[in-house]
Amino acid sequence: MKITKPRLALICGILCISIFPILVKLRLTPGLISAFYRMLFAVTLLLPYVLFSRSFKIPTLKFTLLAALCGILFASDVAVWNIAIQESSATQASLLTNLSPVWVGIGSFFFLKTKPAVNFWIGTLFALLGMITLVGFDFFIELNFNQAFLFAVLSGILYSIYLLISKNVLSQVDVLSFMTISLTASSIYLGILCLSLDQPFTGFSDTGWFVLLLQAVICQLCAWLSISYATQHMRATRVSLSLLSQAVITSVLAWMFLEEKITLQMVFGGIILLFGIRITFYDKTISLKRLFSKS
């Protein structure tokens, strides 16, 4: 598989967002306020650059509103995901929110001109099987539909909608302008939400403020500039399924820093998951009928 610039950007983006659940799980700040400062700090750092470099280009009203909608969707995704992470394990929350490829595939089938290829559905099945194996079959059998579970799944649905809309917007708007508009909308939306819910805006430790800044620089700016660039040049379905690999990296980091256990079953599940992602990058359509008809 040739490593092109979009694919390299996607890899960098995945590595950057993989540390996010670990930072949130530290619980140095409330989940909702953490999402707010992640967006606010990111747009505060990005805005001077795009203005002084004249990189910001105002799109048409339609795409400006769509970019702002993307910001609200993404902010909602991060907010509910933060809560899910803090109320469950980093690994579990990462896996459940990464069911987004299923929603993206279904959304692409109904709403986009480019339909998911056969390889996408085959790869999705393998990836989901890997996810179930990684978490453990007992978890799904005994699953309690608590708030953490529902929020993690809701996060995946919100992200899939965001990805489908952003794919359309990024076909007409450059990445920096898109990020500036969406982050501004995210900050305003989350700021109003935090005020209405009486969230604390101050009173955090120095470490807490540092983690908030780290989230903004690494997990937001570096990660999503890279992923937005990849989304602009790759299929939305392929990007969303590739993001499943974040769960594997997060699991390793959670084992290293949060003492969450990693078993042989989880390792095996991770291998299946990555194999499923690899199938979606296979250019020739896989035909099971042709495969089994060969002697």
Side-chain angles (χ1 to χ4, degrees):
M1 183 174 64
K2 184 179 178 182
I3 302 296
T4 60
K5 286 184 178 179
R7 287 175 176 174
L8 184 61
L10 183 58
I11 292 170
C12 292
I14 289 170
L15 291 174
C16 288
I17 62 173
S18 295
I19 68 169
F20 179 65
I22 310 302
L23 298 176
V24 173
K25 189 63 179 176
L26 294 174
R27 300 179 72 97
L28 297 173
T29 57
L32 196 57
I33 207 73
S34 172
F36 165 69
Y37 277 116
R38 168 177 167 173
M39 304 303 170
L40 180 65
F41 286 166
V43 75
T44 301
L45 292 169
L46 180 63
L47 198 56
Y49 172 77
V50 296
L51 291 178
F52 283 113
S53 64
R54 298 182 180 179
S55 303
F56 181 73
K57 300 177 180 63
I58 301 176
T60 62
L61 179 61
K62 173 186 174 181
F63 285 103
T64 299
L65 293 175
L66 284 174
L69 176 60
C70 285
I72 293 172
L73 286 168
F74 185 74
S76 301
D77 163 32
V78 173
V80 296
W81 191 28
N82 282 7
I83 297 171
I85 292 169
Q86 292 189 344
E87 295 188 6
S88 63
S89 71
T91 300
Q92 176 182 314
S94 296
L95 289 166
L96 289 175
T97 196
N98 275 302
L99 286 170
S100 58
V102 177
W103 316 124
V104 171
I106 293 171
S108 297
F109 181 79
F110 285 107
F111 301 112
L112 295 185
K113 293 181 181 180
T114 304
K115 307 301 180 184
V118 174
N119 292 5
F120 167 79
W121 296 112
I122 295 173
T124 297
L125 287 175
F126 273 99
L128 292 177
L129 177 61
M131 286 176 61
I132 294 171
T133 304
L134 197 155
V135 173
F137 292 96
D138 291 341
F139 171 79
F140 285 88
I141 294 172
E142 302 172 1
L143 191 61
N144 294 317
F145 294 91
N146 54 22
Q147 179 176 280
F149 170 81
L150 294 174
F151 275 17
V153 174
L154 177 60
S155 173
I157 295 172
L158 288 168
Y159 176 69
S160 65
I161 299 171
Y162 161 81
L163 194 63
L164 290 170
I165 297 176
S166 66
K167 176 66 177 176
N168 179 36
V169 177
L170 286 166
S171 66
Q172 301 294 325
V173 183
D174 67 277
V175 172
L176 287 175
S177 298
F178 169 76
M179 286 290 293
T180 303
I181 296 169
S182 63
L183 282 173
T184 301
S186 294
S187 302
I188 296 171
Y189 165 72
L190 285 173
I192 294 172
L193 191 60
C194 288
L195 278 172
S196 64
L197 296 175
D198 293 324
Q199 293 290 298
F201 286 86
T202 58
F204 313 129
S205 65
D206 291 341
T207 305
W209 286 112
F210 175 72
V211 167
L212 289 174
L213 184 61
L214 203 62
Q215 289 180 30
V217 175
I218 304 297
C219 307
Q220 187 60 45
L221 284 180
C222 294
W224 290 100
L225 283 171
S226 299
I227 293 171
S228 295
Y229 175 79
T231 302
Q232 193 176 42
H233 295 86
M234 298 172 66
R235 298 174 195 157
T237 49
R238 181 172 285 182
V239 172
S240 67
L241 196 55
S242 298
L243 290 173
L244 282 173
S245 60
Q246 172 225 326
V248 178
I249 301 171
T250 297
S251 298
V252 175
L253 293 175
W255 168 70
M256 292 174 63
F257 298 106
L258 302 178
E259 297 184 356
E260 292 184 9
K261 293 181 179 179
I262 290 185
T263 64
L264 185 61
Q265 176 179 309
M266 295 175 70
V267 173
F268 185 59
I271 292 172
I272 298 174
L273 189 154
L274 293 173
F275 177 68
I277 293 173
R278 179 62 184 90
I279 289 175
T280 68
F281 282 80
Y282 187 64
D283 294 325
K284 295 182 180 179
T285 302
I286 297 172
S287 172
L288 295 178
K289 181 178 179 181
R290 186 170 64 246
L291 182 65
F292 287 109
S293 65
K294 290 182 178 180
S295 56

